[in-house]
């Protein structure tokens, strides 16, 4: 029987997010710096010297330079001796991953050569060289092999060949970031990896914000022969998580003996086995009960929105040194969603403290600058960390004002009512003094240019005031620190550019910038039930509106969907086709004439596709300055590294639109 303690306590060290990959995965171009390599070896030395790692096979990640080539590596050590450095062979170069920019893949399967250790490690281990390459580790009782992160997702995953060569335990230390509806893919891949040819799979994943738009959501797990037998939390404020299991190696051997025996003749060069005089089991283990399969209950997308961005916000806040958040709360779905995520963060913090998490309590006391403070209620904590403000103009309605006030009262935020009319008139007064002109809204006889400029000046003044209050409202109360400004533009508005550049969507960070409008509405319905935030019912019932144009009889006439020329539901479909299905205007039209045939004629589909691409191309420049957002959706138009496109287009799309017109003519 294999008692996994000796390996999994090692892996619990790996699970600690600072050590899953010593430097972190978000170093980006810092990987080019020799300092990064140096400090990684210094930390490795510290880990090897620690009494906590003795008699444990430890597997940690770090960049390693070999023959002047930089590799993404696992370093496996035991009792102050490095056993193997295993470089990554299949790099991730899709989505948010750009590993080829900083690393080279190890291109010699099942080949191992010597690596000359730096002097500081030589002095500790007494080793001059260690094995470097695609090898495996052979103990007295079993054989272990490593996969690294995206190698699991590759059609040529190393665990396939390793399993056929008799390796019984696979380890994978990963940096798999959160996306909505993604967790089941991970679980299914790991179950599949051990269903095909048996084996034990140990999966550790980074946790927390690694310094940018990504949130790594844990989900550590242990599987055997296609069954998950132990798992960690997907979303948690815990810095350290320990996942252990007791498993029987004979179960692997019996499984393979029955199911895989005819296929176990291995045709390739066998793996180099690095032998070590160490055992993961002992004679006393035979009476230990083994772990049984567990059912994995996946979070709904609404729960994921509630938990993932909230954990990201807390990680960002405690590491930024700021004293809380400020949010312009308009009373609409988007800003209300951001407010609910902050409230969910407070719920998780209070629960973590109740469960005895001393690190979270220490962080809260530091953020609020009160070493005696101990939050008991999320609403009370929200009052310490969160300021909301409704920025009214002459175009704002009483309905949105009341909805914002009611929601702020229910979540417990410090709520401010600010009127921006004086600032708007001051800005227009300066313009009028210089030009002798006073622009008018379209409703008052103005042109389209005047109408748009008057909307934009309101939106931009709100951004300026948001930053002013974020910097000084605590100062006005005699408290130290400043506030981080939160944005609240959703992924669909970013896609079409339906927001003012440098308006109050311009903030420090945006927890919903990667979430669709449709998902946000479902999330608010979830918050009504889970958090009893009944103020959200009125917000959900109201039509989305920017409230930047004059009211008619005190009522809103401007709506988002009318301004955009399509519904949010249609935008979600178009967004997925553009990014996930890699569609340009013509191929998108060809797909939509079938999926929308019950609703729209070919000419109507053509009109919508053309309208979208015109809006998208005109406004793409806005994505170059958009607020850093939590990455949650795989059709995000984030320009930083996920969706790399030009920002200057020929907005006529003459050739593409002509192809669409030709198709419509043939159909009709």
């Amino acid at each position: 029987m294999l008692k996994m303690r000796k390996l999994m306590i090692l892996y619990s060290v790996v699970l600690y997010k600072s050590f899953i990959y010593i430097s972190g995965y978000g170093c980006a171009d810092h990987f080019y710096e020799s300092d990064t390599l140096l400090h990684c070896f210094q930390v490795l030395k510290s880990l090897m010297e620690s009494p906590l790692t003795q008699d444990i096979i430890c597997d940690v990640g770090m960049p390693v330079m070999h023959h002047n080539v930089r590799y993404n590596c696992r370093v496996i050590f035991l009792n102050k001796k490095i056993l193997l450095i295993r470089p990554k062979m299949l790099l991730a170069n899709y989505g948010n991953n750009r590993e080829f920019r900083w690393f080279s893949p190890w291109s010699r399967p099942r080949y191992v050569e010597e690596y000359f250790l730096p002097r500081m490690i030589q002095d500790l281990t007494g080793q001059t060289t260690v094995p470097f390459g695609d090898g495996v580790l052979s103990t007295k009782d079993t054989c272990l092999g490593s996969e690294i992160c995206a190698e699991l997702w590759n059609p040529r995953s190393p665990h396939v060949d390793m399993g056929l060569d008799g390796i019984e335990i696979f380890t994978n230390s990963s940096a798999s970031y959160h996306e909505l509806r993604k967790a089941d893919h991970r679980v299914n891949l790991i179950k599949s990896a051990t269903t095909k040819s048996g084996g034990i799979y140990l999966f550790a994943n980074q946790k927390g914000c690694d310094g940018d738009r990504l949130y790594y959501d844990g989900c550590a797990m242990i599987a055997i022969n296609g069954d998950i037998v132990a798992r960690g939390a997907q979303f948690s404020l815990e810095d350290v998580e320990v996942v252990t299991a007791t498993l029987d190696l004979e179960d692997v051997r019996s499984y393979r003996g029955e199911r895989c025996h005819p296929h176990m003749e291995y045709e390739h060069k066998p793996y180099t086995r690095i032998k070590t005089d160490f055992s993961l089991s002992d004679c006393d283990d035979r009476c230990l009960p083994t772990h049984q399969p567990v059912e994995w209950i996946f979070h709904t997308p609404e729960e994921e929105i509630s938990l993932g961005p909230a954990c990201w916000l807390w990680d960002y806040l405690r590491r930024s040194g700021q004293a809380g958040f400020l949010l312009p709360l308009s009373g609409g779905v988007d800003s209300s969603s951001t407010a609910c995520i902050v409230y969910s963060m407070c719920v998780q913090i209070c629960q973590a403290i109740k469960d005895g998490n001393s690190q979270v309590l220490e962080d809260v006391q530091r953020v609020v600058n009160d070493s005696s403070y101990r939050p008991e209620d999320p609403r009370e904590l929200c009052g310490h960390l969160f300021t909301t403000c409704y920025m009214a103009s002459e175009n704002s309605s009483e309905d949105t004002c009341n909805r914002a006030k009611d929601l702020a009262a229910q979540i417990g935020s410090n709520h401010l009512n600010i009127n921006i009319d004086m600032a708007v008139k001051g800005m227009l007064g300066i313009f009028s003094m210089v030009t002798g002109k006073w622009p008018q809204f379209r409703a008052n006889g103005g042109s389209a240019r005047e109408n748009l400029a008057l909307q934009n000046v309101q939106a931009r003044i709100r951004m300026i005031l948001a930053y002013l209050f974020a910097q000084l409202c605590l100062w006005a109360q005699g408290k130290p620190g400043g506030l981080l400004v939160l944005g609240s533009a959703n992924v669909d508005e970013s896609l079409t550019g339906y927001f003012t550049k440098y308006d109050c969507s311009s903030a420090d960070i945006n927890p919903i910038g990667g979430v669709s409008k449709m998902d946000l509405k479902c999330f608010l319905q979830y918050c009504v039930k889970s958090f009893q935030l009944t103020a959200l019912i009125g917000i959900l019932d109201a039509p989305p509106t920017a409230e930047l144009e004059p009211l008619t009889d005190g009522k809103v006439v401007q709506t988002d969907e009318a301004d955009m020329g399509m519904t949010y539901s249609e935008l979600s479909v178009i967004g997925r086709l553009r990014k996930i299905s890699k569609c340009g205007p013509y191929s998108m039209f060809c797909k939509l004439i079938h999926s929308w045939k019950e609703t729209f004629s070919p000419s109507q589909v053509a009109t919508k596709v053309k309208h979208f691409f015109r809006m998208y191309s005109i406004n793409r420049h806005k994505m170059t300055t958009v607020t850093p957002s939590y990455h949650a959706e795989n059709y995000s138009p984030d320009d930083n590294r996920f969706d790399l496109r030009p920002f200057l287009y020929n907005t006529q799309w003459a050739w593409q639109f002509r192809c669409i017109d030709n198709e419509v003519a043939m159909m009709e």
Side-chain angles (χ1 to χ4, degrees):
M1 181 176 293
L2 170 66
K3 185 179 179 183
M4 292 302 296
R5 178 176 176 79
K6 289 186 179 178
L7 188 63
M8 280 312 295
I9 289 186
L10 129 80
Y11 239 64
S12 72
V13 173
V14 176
L15 286 177
Y16 178 49
K17 61 185 177 185
S18 294
F19 296 109
I20 187 169
Y21 198 82
I22 287 176
S23 62
Y25 252 63
C27 291
D29 283 359
H30 290 292
F31 281 125
Y32 291 138
E33 299 168 3
S34 60
D35 282 12
T36 302
L37 301 172
L38 168 66
H39 299 326
C40 284
F41 272 110
Q42 290 170 336
V43 173
L44 175 65
K45 180 175 181 287
S46 177
L47 287 172
M48 295 175 71
E49 291 174 328
S50 170
L52 296 175
T53 62
Q54 299 311 298
D55 294 323
I56 301 171
I57 298 175
C58 296
D59 175 350
V60 299
M62 57 183 279
V64 176
M65 185 81 81
H66 179 53
H67 293 170
N68 294 330
V69 178
R70 191 182 302 101
Y71 295 99
N72 180 357
C73 295
R74 305 304 303 175
V75 179
I76 304 171
F77 64 89
L78 169 66
N79 294 338
K80 300 181 182 179
K81 298 288 185 183
I82 293 178
L83 304 176
L84 172 67
I85 299 177
R86 199 285 205 179
K88 191 171 184 179
M89 304 188 336
L90 303 169
L91 301 185
N93 206 48
Y94 49 84
N96 283 292
N97 302 301
R98 294 288 180 271
E99 282 194 288
F100 274 101
R101 181 175 174 88
W102 308 295
F103 301 109
S104 294
W106 180 252
S107 57
R108 307 178 75 178
R110 293 171 292 283
Y111 179 81
V112 174
E113 61 190 31
E114 286 188 326
Y115 174 78
F116 285 82
L117 293 170
R119 189 177 306 162
M120 74 175 87
I121 304 298
Q122 291 184 29
D123 293 342
L124 173 66
T125 66
Q127 300 166 289
T128 302
T129 63
V130 295
F132 184 102
D134 185 22
V136 296
L137 188 64
S138 183
T139 66
K140 289 181 176 181
D141 49 1
T142 188
C143 190
L144 301 87
S146 288
E147 285 191 320
I148 303 177
C149 197
E151 290 179 342
L152 170 65
W153 303 74
N154 195 281
R156 297 175 58 193
S157 295
H159 70 257
V160 177
D161 284 344
M162 287 193 289
L164 293 173
D165 197 24
I167 287 82
E168 296 175 325
I169 300 174
F170 314 113
T171 66
N172 188 325
S173 191
S174 189
S176 176
Y177 53 83
H178 174 239
E179 279 182 349
L180 295 177
R181 306 170 179 89
K182 177 182 176 180
D184 63 314
H185 298 325
R186 275 192 214 122
V187 175
N188 290 336
L189 281 169
I190 290 166
K191 290 171 72 173
S192 173
T194 57
T195 298
K196 290 179 288 190
S197 59
I200 295 169
Y201 206 105
L202 313 177
F203 177 83
N205 191 35
Q206 189 166 343
K207 291 174 60 181
C209 169
D210 199 19
D212 60 12
R213 295 158 173 80
L214 307 180
Y215 175 74
Y216 299 95
D217 56 336
C219 285
M221 67 190 88
I222 304 172
I224 179 171
N225 299 341
D227 292 319
I228 306 296
V229 294
R231 59 159 295 186
Q234 183 176 8
F235 304 106
S236 169
L237 301 185
E238 298 282 348
D239 281 336
V240 179
E241 188 175 22
V242 180
V243 179
T244 63
T246 302
L247 302 174
D248 194 339
L249 277 172
E250 292 304 318
D251 290 340
V252 175
R253 293 158 186 165
S254 298
Y255 187 96
R256 287 181 172 177
E258 176 186 4
R259 303 193 182 202
C260 307
H261 179 69
H263 311 290
M264 291 297 280
E265 293 185 7
Y266 192 62
E267 298 178 355
H268 298 286
K269 173 186 173 183
Y271 281 85
T272 299
R273 280 166 162 75
I274 311 300
K275 297 177 182 178
T276 179
D277 186 20
F278 188 76
S279 176
L280 293 176
S281 60
D282 57 50
C283 296
D284 296 333
D285 291 346
R286 66 172 62 93
C287 297
L288 289 172
T290 58
H291 279 62
Q292 300 303 305
V294 298
E295 182 183 3
W296 194 297
I297 306 298
F298 294 102
H299 291 293
T300 64
E302 296 77 32
E303 290 171 332
E304 290 186 84
I305 296 169
S306 174
L307 297 170
C311 291
W312 182 73
L313 282 181
W314 174 240
D315 229 5
Y316 198 102
L317 176 61
R318 67 177 184 145
R319 291 169 56 189
S320 70
Q322 298 302 300
F325 298 114
L326 180 137
L327 170 70
L329 183 60
S330 69
V333 166
D334 295 332
S335 61
S336 298
S337 296
T338 297
C340 289
I341 288 171
V342 176
Y343 181 73
S344 175
M345 179 194 79
C346 293
V347 170
Q348 292 186 67
I349 290 171
C350 289
Q351 186 60 51
I353 292 172
K354 184 178 178 181
D355 293 340
N357 190 320
S358 58
Q359 182 61 58
V360 172
L361 177 59
E362 180 184 324
D363 289 336
V364 169
Q365 292 171 343
R366 178 173 46 80
V367 169
V368 303
N369 196 41
D370 183 352
S371 59
S372 64
Y373 177 61
R374 186 181 183 90
E376 303 287 344
D377 177 66
R379 292 184 72 256
E380 172 214 354
L381 178 59
C382 213
H384 282 82
L385 298 179
F386 194 29
T387 297
T388 53
C389 55
Y390 181 82
M391 299 186 183
S393 74
E394 61 185 13
N395 302 317
S396 303
S397 67
E398 284 295 321
D399 291 338
T400 53
C401 179
N402 291 334
R403 288 196 288 267
K405 181 178 67 175
D406 292 346
L407 178 59
Q410 289 187 2
I411 65 175
S413 66
N414 294 309
H415 190 63
L416 308 173
N417 276 306
I418 304 169
N419 191 291
I420 68 170
D421 286 337
M422 185 185 302
V424 173
K425 287 182 171 62
M427 291 289 288
L428 294 176
I430 294 172
F431 178 81
S432 179
M433 183 173 62
V434 173
T435 65
K437 301 280 189 179
W438 192 281
Q440 299 293 325
F441 283 105
R442 181 165 40 204
N444 300 326
S447 65
R449 280 192 293 174
E450 294 171 76
N451 194 68
L452 184 58
L454 289 172
Q455 293 182 68
N456 287 342
V457 73
Q458 295 170 76
R460 288 177 176 136
I461 282 173
R462 285 180 172 131
M463 183 270 288
I464 294 169
L465 288 172
Y467 272 98
L468 175 64
F469 277 85
Q471 288 182 300
L472 294 180
C473 68
L474 292 183
W475 166 80
Q477 301 170 40
K479 298 178 181 178
L483 303 176
L484 292 166
V485 180
L486 295 180
S488 55
N490 64 62
V491 70
D492 299 319
E493 290 171 349
S494 297
L495 186 62
T496 59
Y498 182 66
F499 62 91
T500 299
K501 196 174 186 179
Y502 305 119
D503 70 349
C504 59
S505 66
S506 297
D508 293 312
I509 49 175
N510 178 2
I512 68 164
V515 186
S516 72
K517 190 78 161 192
M518 305 307 293
D519 279 339
L520 290 175
K521 288 183 176 181
C522 293
F523 165 63
L524 292 188
Q525 291 169 350
Y526 163 84
C527 291
V528 172
K529 297 175 183 177
S530 298
F531 301 141
Q532 288 75 53
L533 300 178
T534 55
L536 296 172
I537 297 173
I539 293 170
L540 284 164
D541 290 340
T545 175
E547 285 196 335
L548 294 172
E549 295 190 42
L551 306 175
T552 300
D553 298 326
K555 299 296 181 182
V556 173
V557 293
Q558 181 187 25
T559 64
D560 291 354
E561 292 184 339
D563 281 355
M564 291 188 297
M566 59 185 65
T567 67
Y568 281 106
S569 177
E570 292 165 357
L571 265 179
S572 290
V573 173
I574 286 174
R576 287 179 168 85
L577 288 175
R578 183 198 71 98
K579 177 64 178 175
I580 301 172
S581 299
K582 313 296 187 291
C583 287
Y586 177 74
S587 55
M588 183 181 293
F589 166 77
C590 292
K591 289 182 182 295
L592 288 176
I593 56 174
H594 298 293
S595 56
W596 285 356
K597 65 182 179 181
E598 302 298 328
T599 310
F600 301 113
S601 67
S603 61
Q604 290 173 317
V605 172
T607 299
K608 285 187 176 290
V609 170
K610 291 178 184 178
H611 178 64
F612 165 76
F613 275 97
R614 284 196 191 98
M615 283 201 304
Y616 162 77
S617 56
I618 289 170
N619 292 313
R620 179 67 193 188
H621 66 95
K622 296 179 182 179
M623 294 311 301
T624 63
T625 60
V626 74
T627 297
S629 301
Y630 179 95
H631 177 83
E633 189 57 80
N634 56 5
Y635 71 92
S636 167
D638 170 41
D639 188 66
N640 175 252
R641 67 179 184 185
F642 184 72
D643 186 48
L644 305 181
R645 314 263 177 150
F647 57 86
L648 176 62
Y649 279 90
N650 180 344
T651 60
Q652 301 303 310
W653 299 86
W655 188 276
Q656 294 90 335
F657 287 0
R658 190 180 306 124
C659 291
I660 293 174
D661 291 339
N662 292 339
E663 291 293 328
V664 171
M666 287 189 289
M667 292 176 187
E668 296 187 344

